[in-house]
Amino acid sequence: MSLVQERRETRMISVGNVTIGSNSPVAVQSMTNTRTEDVAATVAQIQRLTKAGCEIVRVAVPDMEAAQAVAAIRREIAIPLIADIHFDYRLAIAAMEAGADALRINPGNIGERRKIMEVANCARSKGVSIRVGVNAGSLEKDIVDRLGATPQAMAESALKNIEILEDLDFHDIKVSLKASDVQRTVEAYRLIASKTDVPLHVGVTEAGGLIAGITKSAIGIGMLLSEGIGDTIRVSLTRDPVEEVRTAWEILRALDIRHRGPELISCPTCGRCRIDLFTVAEQVEQALLDCPLTIKVAIMGCVVNGPGEAKEADIGIAGGDGVGILFKKGKVIRKIDQDSLVDVLLKEIENLQN
Amino acid sequence: MSLVQERRETRMISVGNVTIGSNSPVAVQSMTNTRTEDVAATVAQIQRLTKAGCEIVRVAVPDMEAAQAVAAIRREIAIPLIADIHFDYRLAIAAMEAGADALRINPGNIGERRKIMEVANCARSKGVSIRVGVNAGSLEKDIVDRLGATPQAMAESALKNIEILEDLDFHDIKVSLKASDVQRTVEAYRLIASKTDVPLHVGVTEAGGLIAGITKSAIGIGMLLSEGIGDTIRVSLTRDPVEEVRTAWEILRALDIRHRGPELISCPTCGRCRIDLFTVAEQVEQALLDCPLTIKVAIMGCVVNGPGEAKEADIGIAGGDGVGILFKKGKVIRKIDQDSLVDVLLKEIENLQN
């Protein structure tokens, strides 16, 4: 039995060499927050994101300098790049000519039909896909006047933008419908999911700092994925985007959709705990950030309950008064001096990789 | 329309002056990680937890010294106290005599029937309620041998423990069924929800560090609450328990179940952002931690898109190149020198409180 319903069927599109749609795994995206024209900083951030598991990256293209920087960035990175453009079709053309794998642009905001057509034709000839990115905060005035900034309005805006592109025989489209609250976000995606087969890019926007941002994204994205809705996801945090990628993978893992790297379980500590478990847990977490093994690692506060409570862990340590233990699948392997707990655990995990 | 289904009907019980059950709001719990016998440290932590919105607190009672400390702790705190006890019925009696408002103890682990009866009789006479806390990692051997550490086994263990108490005519019971993964946790609660009317204490155990822990708790607790399951919640993090309480409130707010304090929305920043939004957002978040107003506050990176994208915010600031703006409900109120953005915002929010 799975918590996740069958994936909604969607058409397949490409973002560079990553395919998006119901026949592909749910892809993890993020966005840089460097100045795009600062190529060195942007490339460095994208490389950190890639190492953390980011599979598609978006960069802001607010002006021609940024559009042209796409060429130099593209050469240096290993994952597909999406150019994020508002309004100006010339930036879209320039970004595609510089090698952008996809665009995020809303055709309804481009203006005259000939400009939209030029973007669609260029995209088609270059195999570039387009994300229509509907945001509850920037809906078309006529729709808001009629419906307010509601899920219904968001869905109508999305369908209108899709129609503009499909009328031009352009079909490599994905759509997002983001609001800063979970409620409208989830309802908007549910609505659009029943009305089109375009793949969906799922996220909660302006989610906020670490605790609020992770909570809102986990509930919103998590509920939708559990309903089979969502072909690519982005967690938005007002933080280092690497943390967005880590959160995205935690969401996928929590729902048993995709797995990446070790899963750490650790008790919340209580009055029984006799070691500084917070520090130990953080040390282990940091040390395993780039570990490729999809194992379960337990870090427990108490030698009595620890091994039993974490018997589903492939490997774990538990602290005591001076002497801790190493255990595997609930079985105690040996005692360890308290000060060597982390070193021994990391060494054992390293051995598993060889 | 709400994301949350109608609350499952459950019997009402009391934990001190807090009632738990479907006719009461979902209550927020946490647990201290100080040594319980260190009364000063434990009281100080409970006071920080209370200020953050913790409504019921649990302390570990591993020995008689801790049980006796309950009396001194209880006198100094404003919220109900639960004594967490494993196996030893004398600790349960001592904690109740010291003034514990409730117990967390599994009667199946206490041993002889006369001991269980003594605990139930003492609890009844003192108006103390009992949480049966089933944990996938410490199920009864005979159940695990038959069913494995499955949701079915967890539900069976819970029902067995409930039955022991109800056979003694003790009914002030709530139940938790925690696993360290979201999948088993959610399935176990769904199972038990269909089989008993006891109120449910909901949480994912050993959830891990900040990102993994918040993600797993938000998805697990969030999914269950959205299904109307859950009468009190606890987020488990291997961190300062104050962060557990903040996360719990973010979950309740994200689902529009309960609200506490200001909601911050802030954009994830992009190449268009011209201020150090991370620092600004963190300063505002810290400054508003104890603000009682349930308002929406926006912190946006860009004066052009900011006010519009955050027009549902009661108040907000957006940064520009040197000059930022203050806005309310999407309307620009005035320009502000960049360096005064945070001060002006906090002053305006302070004025709202008077």
Side-chain angles (χ1 to χ4, degrees):
Chain A
M1 200 162 75
S2 164
L3 283 189
V4 176
Q5 294 166 33
E6 203 182 339
R7 185 107 164 259
R8 183 181 73 99
E9 259 189 58
T10 56
R11 68 178 81 157
M12 299 298 296
I13 68 163
S14 293
V15 176
N17 59 3
V18 175
T19 51
I20 306 280
S22 53
N23 289 334
S24 285
V26 177
V28 171
Q29 301 203 18
S30 186
M31 185 173 187
T32 54
N33 58 16
T34 52
R35 291 199 181 209
T36 303
E37 64 271 24
D38 184 344
V39 172
T42 303
V43 166
Q45 191 173 63
I46 294 173
Q47 283 165 347
R48 288 177 57 236
L49 288 167
T50 306
K51 208 168 168 194
C54 181
E55 298 173 309
I56 297 171
V57 71
R58 180 160 50 110
V59 302
V61 177
D63 53 34
M64 203 47 85
E65 201 186 345
Q68 282 156 358
V70 165
I73 296 166
R74 192 69 204 79
R75 273 195 299 274
E76 302 291 328
I77 65 174
I79 58 175
L81 183 148
I82 303 177
D84 189 289
I85 288 153
H86 289 212
F87 311 116
D88 190 340
Y89 84 108
R90 288 164 304 185
L91 296 177
I93 304 285
M96 286 189 275
E97 281 172 355
D101 298 289
L103 298 179
R104 187 254 182 166
I105 191 167
N106 290 1
N109 296 337
I110 294 178
E112 302 154 50
R113 190 177 159 82
R114 69 160 180 89
K115 295 178 182 172
I116 305 173
M117 206 183 295
E118 202 173 322
V119 171
N121 287 343
C122 181
R124 192 185 300 103
S125 75
K126 289 184 180 295
V128 160
S129 60
I130 295 180
R131 165 153 71 100
V132 168
V134 171
N135 189 310
S138 54
L139 290 166
E140 295 89 335
K141 193 175 176 310
D142 64 303
I143 296 182
V144 176
D145 286 349
R146 210 159 15 87
L147 299 170
T150 56
Q152 291 70 26
M154 293 162 70
E156 185 173 318
S157 171
L159 290 172
K160 198 185 92 180
N161 277 284
I162 294 170
E163 198 185 330
I164 293 172
L165 289 172
E166 295 197 329
D167 276 352
L168 295 169
D169 201 27
F170 188 89
H171 304 277
D172 293 339
I173 309 166
K174 65 183 192 296
V175 168
S176 63
L177 304 93
K178 300 185 185 179
S180 62
D181 56 285
V182 170
Q183 179 103 9
R184 281 187 298 168
T185 302
V186 169
E187 285 175 12
Y189 279 103
R190 284 178 178 164
L191 264 177
I192 200 80
S194 66
K195 294 187 174 168
T196 169
D197 76 332
V198 303
L200 296 177
H201 165 115
V202 168
V204 180
T205 193
E206 290 132 28
L210 203 63
I211 292 183
I214 297 176
T215 302
K216 286 160 77 170
S217 291
I219 295 182
I221 297 172
M223 283 183 79
L224 288 166
L225 288 177
S226 79
E227 295 170 15
I229 295 173
D231 303 290
T232 177
I233 63 174
R234 185 208 173 181
V235 172
S236 293
L237 302 175
T238 307
R239 301 273 298 190
D240 182 343
V242 165
E243 292 179 337
E244 299 184 346
V245 173
R246 293 205 183 116
T247 305
W249 279 103
E250 293 294 346
I251 293 171
L252 293 172
R253 167 152 58 202
L255 290 167
D256 201 18
I257 292 174
R258 292 181 72 187
H259 294 261
R260 185 174 192 282
E263 174 176 9
L264 264 63
I265 58 179
S266 51
C267 60
T269 81
C270 68
R272 285 182 201 89
C273 181
R274 293 293 174 260
I275 59 165
D276 178 8
L277 201 72
F278 294 3
T279 306
V280 169
E282 274 187 15
Q283 284 172 345
V284 173
E285 192 173 354
Q286 284 302 317
L288 295 181
L289 277 180
D290 299 320
C291 171
L293 299 176
T294 55
I295 52 173
K296 260 195 187 185
V297 179
I299 300 150
M300 308 298 281
C302 133
V303 291
V304 180
N305 295 327
E309 291 204 358
K311 65 167 122 353
E312 77 273 28
D314 298 288
I315 190 164
I317 48 174
D321 254 327
V323 180
I325 51 169
L326 176 78
F327 58 92
K328 293 182 179 178
K329 295 271 178 200
K331 293 217 173 5
V332 177
I333 303 297
R334 63 174 190 272
K335 291 186 181 175
I336 316 171
D337 186 71
Q338 186 105 316
D339 298 330
S340 319
L341 274 173
V342 174
D343 291 343
V344 169
L345 178 67
L346 295 178
K347 186 77 197 157
E348 288 276 342
I349 292 172
E350 207 183 301
N351 290 344
L352 292 177
Q353 297 183 48
N354 303 329
Chain B
M1 200 161 76
S2 165
L3 284 188
V4 177
Q5 293 165 36
E6 204 182 339
R7 185 106 164 259
R8 182 180 74 99
E9 259 189 57
T10 56
R11 69 178 78 157
M12 300 297 297
I13 68 163
S14 293
V15 177
N17 61 3
V18 175
T19 52
I20 306 280
S22 54
N23 289 333
S24 285
V26 177
V28 171
Q29 302 203 17
S30 186
M31 184 173 188
T32 54
N33 58 15
T34 52
R35 289 197 182 212
T36 303
E37 64 271 24
D38 182 345
V39 173
T42 303
V43 167
Q45 191 173 64
I46 293 174
Q47 282 166 347
R48 288 177 57 236
L49 287 168
T50 306
K51 209 170 166 194
C54 182
E55 299 172 311
I56 297 170
V57 71
R58 179 160 50 111
V59 302
V61 177
D63 52 36
M64 204 45 90
E65 200 187 347
Q68 282 156 357
V70 165
I73 295 167
R74 192 68 204 81
R75 274 195 298 275
E76 302 290 329
I77 64 172
I79 57 175
L81 183 147
I82 303 176
D84 188 289
I85 289 153
H86 289 213
F87 313 114
D88 190 342
Y89 84 109
R90 289 164 303 186
L91 296 177
I93 305 285
M96 286 189 275
E97 282 172 354
D101 298 289
L103 298 179
R104 187 254 182 166
I105 191 167
N106 290 2
N109 296 338
I110 293 178
E112 301 155 51
R113 189 177 160 83
R114 68 158 182 89
K115 296 178 181 171
I116 304 172
M117 206 183 296
E118 202 174 320
V119 171
N121 288 343
C122 180
R124 193 186 301 100
S125 75
K126 291 186 179 290
V128 159
S129 59
I130 295 180
R131 164 153 73 99
V132 168
V134 171
N135 188 311
S138 53
L139 291 167
E140 295 89 335
K141 192 174 176 312
D142 63 304
I143 295 183
V144 176
D145 285 349
R146 209 161 15 87
L147 298 169
T150 56
Q152 289 72 24
M154 294 162 70
E156 185 173 317
S157 171
L159 290 172
K160 197 186 91 179
N161 277 284
I162 293 170
E163 197 184 332
I164 293 172
L165 289 171
E166 294 197 329
D167 276 353
L168 296 168
D169 202 25
F170 188 89
H171 304 277
D172 293 339
I173 309 165
K174 65 182 192 298
V175 168
S176 62
L177 304 93
K178 300 185 185 181
S180 63
D181 57 285
V182 170
Q183 179 102 10
R184 279 186 300 168
T185 303
V186 169
E187 285 176 13
Y189 279 104
R190 283 178 180 166
L191 264 176
I192 201 81
S194 66
K195 295 188 174 167
T196 169
D197 75 331
V198 304
L200 297 177
H201 165 115
V202 169
V204 180
T205 193
E206 290 132 27
L210 202 63
I211 292 183
I214 298 176
T215 301
K216 284 159 78 169
S217 292
I219 296 181
I221 297 172
M223 281 183 81
L224 288 165
L225 288 176
S226 79
E227 295 170 15
I229 296 173
D231 302 292
T232 177
I233 63 174
R234 184 207 174 182
V235 173
S236 293
L237 302 176
T238 307
R239 302 273 298 191
D240 182 343
V242 165
E243 292 179 338
E244 299 184 346
V245 174
R246 293 207 182 115
T247 304
W249 280 102
E250 292 294 345
I251 293 171
L252 292 172
R253 168 152 57 202
L255 290 167
D256 201 20
I257 292 174
R258 292 182 72 188
H259 294 263
R260 185 174 193 280
E263 175 176 7
L264 263 62
I265 58 177
S266 53
C267 59
T269 81
C270 67
R272 285 182 203 90
C273 181
R274 294 294 173 260
I275 60 167
D276 178 8
L277 202 73
F278 294 3
T279 307
V280 169
E282 274 186 17
Q283 285 172 346
V284 174
E285 192 173 354
Q286 284 303 317
L288 295 181
L289 277 180
D290 298 321
C291 171
L293 299 175
T294 56
I295 53 173
K296 260 195 186 183
V297 179
I299 300 150
M300 308 297 282
C302 133
V303 291
V304 180
N305 296 327
E309 291 204 358
K311 63 167 123 359
E312 77 273 25
D314 297 291
I315 191 163
I317 48 174
D321 254 327
V323 181
I325 51 170
L326 175 79
F327 58 91
K328 293 182 178 176
K329 295 275 181 198
K331 292 217 173 7
V332 177
I333 303 297
R334 63 174 189 273
K335 291 185 181 174
I336 316 170
D337 186 71
Q338 187 104 316
D339 298 331
S340 317
L341 275 174
V342 174
D343 291 344
V344 169
L345 178 67
L346 295 178
K347 186 76 199 159
E348 288 277 339
I349 292 172
E350 207 183 302
N351 291 343
L352 292 177
Q353 297 183 48
N354 302 328

